[in-house]
């Protein structure tokens, strides 16, 4: 059965739905017990609202099917979904290796918070699998990847890194937000934790913050569930309902995001103002082979590098855009643009290109309108 069919039909427990198509928004903090004997027996499915109600179960089941996972834990934001498994698996004295292209706030969390607990941080080049064996230390506990990186779009050879990690009993984590669990299935590659900011494509409408962590094994599930139960993270049933609703149409949206983004990317690659387009589905992308091997498609997020111009000209170009909003989140129905250079904090290796990177999130508008918008914005470069 394809993911389209699965997402249309899964999580439809008739006892809960009672003939309706979508689940009710089930709100609870207190869960009542019929017998005092059961209060501390741990035999009941739920003993407190924080464990989630039927709408949470439905959403977890939907993500679990999509990611082909053992289990799923929901998180209050995509960032929380990145930080929770790291906190769950690491102890004082451990070392964590982070891909140099990971989402900036995840990087900051590791640098500012994990280090307070005497957890050491190191970075590896996302494109170089050979180097990672040298970066691993005897105390390396986890390797965190993001493929492609959501600003610079390099891909990592996930199966190769998983093989190296498994030999050494190191946990692997992948931020799978770009592929939305649709175009890449990290769990099937042996990854322990596949993470998504559900705020992006699963929600699809730019109005919910949520994250999800899919686990690849009983061991990964155990360590994450324990941390989750001890730390009190929770997702509101209203938000769970909205994300489940979004997931039902995500496949259809992603197909359009994909074709529109490719049309815009191909158009940009022919513009004289553009030095390079960073889109893994374009044959000229340096990691295109990996993309062809591991991914079944591409989403609506990609970047391009402008030929070097003064910053004032870059800002003028962005300000001239009419259909592209200027904003940091992405994966919604509306197109967005940002310039990324201030966020580039890479260390090994340093980012080699000179021009400003512009990142686009291509929404559901007509791609010809988006191209016309970019075309008129580029004219600001010839006007002083
Ligand atoms: C790749 C990636 N991971 C995680 C996140 C964090 O998601 P959230 O905004 O839900 O915290 C983002 C947000 O932009 C992201 O781009």
């Amino acid at each position: 059965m394809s993911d389209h069919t699965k997402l249309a039909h899964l999580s439809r427990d008739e006892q809960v739905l009672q003939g309706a198509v979508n689940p009710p928004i089930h709100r609870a903090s207190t869960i009542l017990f019929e017998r005092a004997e059961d209060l501390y027996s741990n035999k009941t499915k739920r003993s407190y609202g924080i464990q989630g109600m039927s709408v949470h179960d439905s959403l977890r089941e939907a993500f679990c099917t999509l990611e082909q996972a053992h289990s799923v834990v929901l998180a209050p934001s995509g960032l929380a979904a990145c930080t929770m498994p790291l906190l769950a698996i690491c102890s004082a004295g451990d070392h964590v290796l982070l891909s140099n292209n990971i989402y900036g706030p995840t990087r900051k969390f590791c640098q500012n918070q994990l280090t307070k607990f005497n957890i050491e941080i190191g970075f590896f080049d996302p494109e170089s699998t050979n180097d990672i064996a040298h970066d691993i230390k005897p105390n390396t506990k986890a390797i965190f990847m993001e493929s492609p990186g959501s600003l610079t779009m390099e891909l990592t050879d996930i199966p190769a890194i998983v093989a190296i990690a498994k030999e050494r009993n190191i946990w692997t984590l992948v931020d799978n937000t770009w592929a939305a669990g649709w175009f890449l299935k990290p769990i099937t590659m042996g990854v322990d934790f596949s993470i998504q900011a559900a705020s992006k494509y699963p929600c699809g409408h730019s109005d919910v913050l949520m994250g999800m962590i899919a686990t690849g094994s009983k061991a990964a599930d155990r360590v994450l569930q324990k941390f989750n139960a001890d730390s009190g993270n929770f997702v509101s049933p209203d938000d769970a309902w909205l994300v489940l609703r979004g997931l039902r149409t995500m496949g259809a949206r992603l197909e359009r995001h994909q074709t529109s983004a490719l049309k815009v990317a191909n158009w940009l690659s022919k513009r004289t103002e553009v030095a390079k387009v960073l889109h893994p589905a374009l044959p000229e992308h340096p990691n295109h082979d990996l993309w062809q091997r591991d991914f079944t498609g591409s989403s609506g997020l990609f970047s391009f590098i402008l030929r070097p111009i003064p910053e004032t000209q870059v800002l003028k170009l962005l300000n001239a855009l009419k259909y592209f909003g200027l904003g940091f989140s992405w994966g919604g129905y509306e197109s967005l643009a940002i310039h990324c250079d201030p966020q580039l904090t890479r260390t090994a290796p340093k980012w080699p290109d000179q021009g400003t990177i512009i990142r686009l999130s291509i929404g559901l508008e007509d791609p010809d309108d988006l191209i016309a918008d970019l075309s008129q914005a580029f004219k600001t470069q010839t006007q002083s």
Side-chain angles (χ1 to χ4, degrees):
M1 203 197 287
S2 90
D3 279 350
H4 287 287
T5 313
K6 282 183 199 159
L7 282 188
H9 288 278
L10 52 74
S11 299
R12 301 211 359 213
D13 177 349
E14 198 37 52
Q15 267 198 320
V16 174
L17 296 181
Q18 296 177 28
V21 174
N22 292 314
I25 298 176
H26 201 165
R27 311 182 63 92
S29 55
T30 299
I31 304 288
L32 296 174
F33 291 76
E34 282 180 17
R35 299 164 0 118
E37 289 84 339
D38 293 335
L39 277 168
Y40 298 101
S41 72
N42 269 341
K43 282 197 189 122
T44 44
K45 190 175 171 216
R46 277 180 251 269
S47 59
Y48 203 80
I50 203 159
Q51 293 152 344
M53 302 301 289
S54 57
V55 65
H56 299 91
D57 291 344
S58 300
L59 181 59
R60 283 189 285 245
E61 186 193 335
F63 272 129
C64 211
T65 308
L66 183 67
E67 290 271 355
Q68 299 184 20
H70 177 82
S71 64
V72 160
V73 166
L74 301 175
S77 68
L79 178 58
C82 294
T83 62
M84 280 163 60
L86 286 170
L87 286 169
I89 58 189
C90 291
S91 310
D94 287 341
H95 170 244
V96 177
L97 267 177
L98 307 167
S99 170
N100 228 318
N101 60 355
I102 57 164
Y103 176 57
T106 305
R107 183 186 185 103
K108 277 194 202 137
F109 165 80
C110 294
Q111 288 174 320
N112 298 341
Q113 303 303 324
L114 287 189
T115 50
K116 286 200 306 205
F117 302 102
N118 195 23
I119 296 166
E120 217 188 320
I121 307 299
F123 295 96
F124 67 94
D125 176 357
E127 291 177 289
S128 169
T129 315
N130 293 340
D131 287 356
I132 199 162
H134 303 293
D135 297 326
I136 290 174
K137 299 183 178 195
N139 59 338
T140 303
K141 193 63 172 283
I143 300 177
F144 197 119
M145 300 167 260
E146 184 178 315
S147 185
S150 63
L151 296 178
T152 42
M153 300 288 147
E154 314 93 325
L155 266 61
T156 293
D157 190 340
I158 298 172
I161 291 191
V162 167
I164 295 168
K166 283 214 185 299
E167 272 172 17
R168 296 162 173 82
N169 266 334
I170 297 171
W171 296 102
T172 48
L173 305 89
V174 169
D175 185 330
N176 194 23
T177 305
W178 183 86
W182 192 267
F183 298 124
L184 183 78
K185 311 279 184 193
I187 299 290
T188 65
M189 299 170 157
V191 166
D192 296 302
F193 301 96
S194 175
I195 296 160
Q196 279 190 57
S199 323
K200 315 296 189 234
Y201 291 116
C203 162
H205 295 74
S206 312
D207 49 10
V208 176
L209 278 160
M210 195 188 292
M212 75 98 220
I213 309 136
T215 68
S217 65
K218 213 171 180 172
D221 173 58
R222 205 177 305 120
V223 71
L224 185 63
Q225 297 285 2
K226 176 88 184 89
F227 176 81
N228 199 35
D230 289 346
S231 58
N233 290 295
F234 184 67
V235 158
S236 96
D238 306 69
D239 288 349
W241 185 87
L242 278 168
V243 172
L244 181 62
R245 185 186 168 105
L247 270 183
R248 302 288 189 196
T249 60
M250 189 176 77
R253 284 185 281 111
L254 278 173
E255 279 183 3
R256 186 172 169 90
H257 286 299
Q258 167 164 238
T259 45
S260 298
L262 279 169
K263 188 164 189 184
V264 177
N266 277 311
W267 178 82
L268 281 166
S269 66
K270 295 184 191 84
R271 293 291 303 200
T272 52
E273 300 88 345
V274 174
K276 215 187 265 182
V277 177
L278 307 173
H279 190 312
L282 296 191
E284 58 270 29
H285 188 276
N287 313 128
H288 182 65
D289 289 355
L290 274 186
W291 175 79
Q292 272 190 315
R293 189 192 70 186
D294 294 343
F295 290 73
T296 54
S298 55
S299 64
L301 192 81
F302 70 95
S303 302
F304 62 95
I305 306 176
L306 285 169
R307 291 199 188 285
I309 48 171
E311 200 197 343
T312 47
Q313 287 292 100
V314 175
L315 301 181
K316 216 168 163 185
L317 188 150
L318 287 171
N319 285 329
L321 291 167
K322 293 190 168 63
Y323 296 136
F324 286 86
L326 305 179
F328 286 104
S329 198
W330 48 277
Y333 58 82
E334 81 299 359
S335 292
L336 295 170
I338 52 167
H339 62 308
C340 322
D341 289 12
Q343 293 186 61
L344 280 185
T345 45
R346 293 168 49 123
T347 44
K350 282 247 175 247
W351 182 248
D353 291 288
Q354 294 301 313
T356 298
I357 299 181
I358 306 280
R359 186 186 75 182
L360 300 180
S361 173
I362 300 298
L364 302 180
E365 302 93 334
D366 190 319
D368 290 334
D369 289 335
L370 298 177
I371 286 171
D373 194 18
L374 286 162
S375 181
Q376 65 81 25
F378 276 136
K379 291 201 178 113
T380 56
Q381 290 196 28
T382 48
Q383 302 153 359
S384 51

